[in-house]
Amino acid sequence: MVDVDEVYLPLLREARARFLLVRPDHHVYGAARTSRELAKLVDRFRSGLLA
């Protein structure tokens, strides 16, 4: 992904994260610093969809 408008890179820096989970409507669901945190974030997102 290329952050042409520099919207997401500042969020990554602010959260000190390597990953952002962004919904199709461009809403940032959350940030994660490690792949383990990312997996937990995706699991929480997925659980919300199935609830």
Side-chain angles (χ1 to χ4, degrees):
M1 176 176 161
V2 177
D3 190 7
V4 177
D5 296 323
E6 294 192 28
V7 173
Y8 300 111
L9 289 176
L11 293 172
L12 283 168
R13 281 192 291 273
E14 183 179 323
R16 296 184 182 162
R18 292 179 53 210
F19 309 98
L20 287 177
L21 182 56
V22 182
R23 299 183 337 192
D25 63 357
H26 306 286
H27 175 83
V28 176
Y29 179 79
R33 294 179 182 175
T34 66
S35 56
R36 183 172 290 154
E37 287 181 8
L38 178 61
K40 290 178 183 179
L41 186 63
V42 170
D43 286 344
R44 281 198 307 268
F45 182 74
R46 214 183 258 154
S47 293
L49 291 175
L50 300 174

